[in-house]
Amino acid sequence: MIRAIRYELIRLRTIRSTWWLALLSLLATGSISWAIAVNLRAGPLDVADIAVLLTGGALYSPLVPPAVLVVPPAVFMAVLGVLALGHEYRYSSIRATLTAIPRRSRVLAAKTLAVALAAAVVAVLSLAVGWGVGFAVLGEQMLDLPWTEHSLPRISGGYVAFVVLSALLGLALAGLFRNVPAALVAILVIPLVLEPVLAVVLGFEALRPVREAGKFLPFTAGRQMLVPSVSTPAGYGEPLTPVSGGLTMSAYVAALLALCWAFFARRDA
């Protein structure tokens, strides 16, 4: 197993797309955090302001509706997850991989751990970039809040978890589709199109009896890990807690990974 993990880590480290996606994650976070920090210079800061700043505008974007959740590192790491397995099929290298490591369960487990580790590292670095940009622009204002007495540590941990889960979802979709374009479309359409459209549809009066089901959609539930206070978007009724939201998103990812493993173990390479 250690050999398989080492193989996947070396593979991720030596592929240029890994570094490009990580760099784009940090640049996007830094740029958005800088724009937010400039807007925050005029007034006093609260926990919500700092949370949005540290996460690179994870819950705020003037360009998209509130129902659309935009977390740049999560998007880029989801793409990384797709490429980690999708490229094996695109370039027919999966046969060589399975020849070197015949046990398919070890191959998929190693890919899962390697992608999760890479996504976690990028998420932590993104938080550091957000904090550094905020301190550079706002100075001592960033230190005025008693950080440990508010929800900022929980939001930071939830942010890392959200990015990791997004990356693993991309990996699972690549294994199910075995096609990079299809998996990329799916991982982008679900949070940016499908869930916002469902939020609008579930807002119809005729669907009131099933409206609360919308809060259990994967990314809608996952966003609860990032909010300073418990709230449910799009009027879904009683909100999920950050823990419940994280567990809900994790359940989707675990189910898709299990399905991916089942297909991966039985399909021809």
Side-chain angles (χ1 to χ4, degrees), residues 61-97:
S61 174
L63 303 178
V64 296
V68 180
L69 178 61
V70 179
V71 184
V75 173
F76 291 118
M77 290 301 99
V79 174
L80 177 67
V82 169
L83 298 182
L85 184 54
H87 271 173
E88 296 270 22
Y89 292 105
R90 183 177 183 182
Y91 298 110
S92 300
S93 60
I94 186 66
R95 293 183 179 87
T97 299

Side-chain angles (χ1 to χ4, degrees), residues 45-67:
L45 301 178
D46 58 22
V47 175
D49 293 330
I50 298 298
V52 171
L53 176 63
L54 290 180
T55 58
L59 293 176
Y60 169 78
S61 174
L63 303 178
V64 296

Side-chain angles (χ1 to χ4, degrees), residues 3-4 7-8 11 85 88-89 92-111 178 261 263-269:
R3 178 187 169 208
Y7 175 88
E8 287 301 326
R11 181 180 173 278
L85 184 54
E88 296 270 22
Y89 292 105
S92 300
S93 60
I94 186 66
R95 293 183 179 87
T97 299
L98 293 176
T99 299
I101 309 171
R103 296 189 62 176
R104 298 192 176 201
S105 59
R106 290 187 177 182
V107 171
L108 190 57
K111 286 185 180 294
R178 301 211 295 185
W261 179 86
F263 285 150
F264 187 69
R266 290 167 173 77
R267 283 173 171 174
D268 292 334

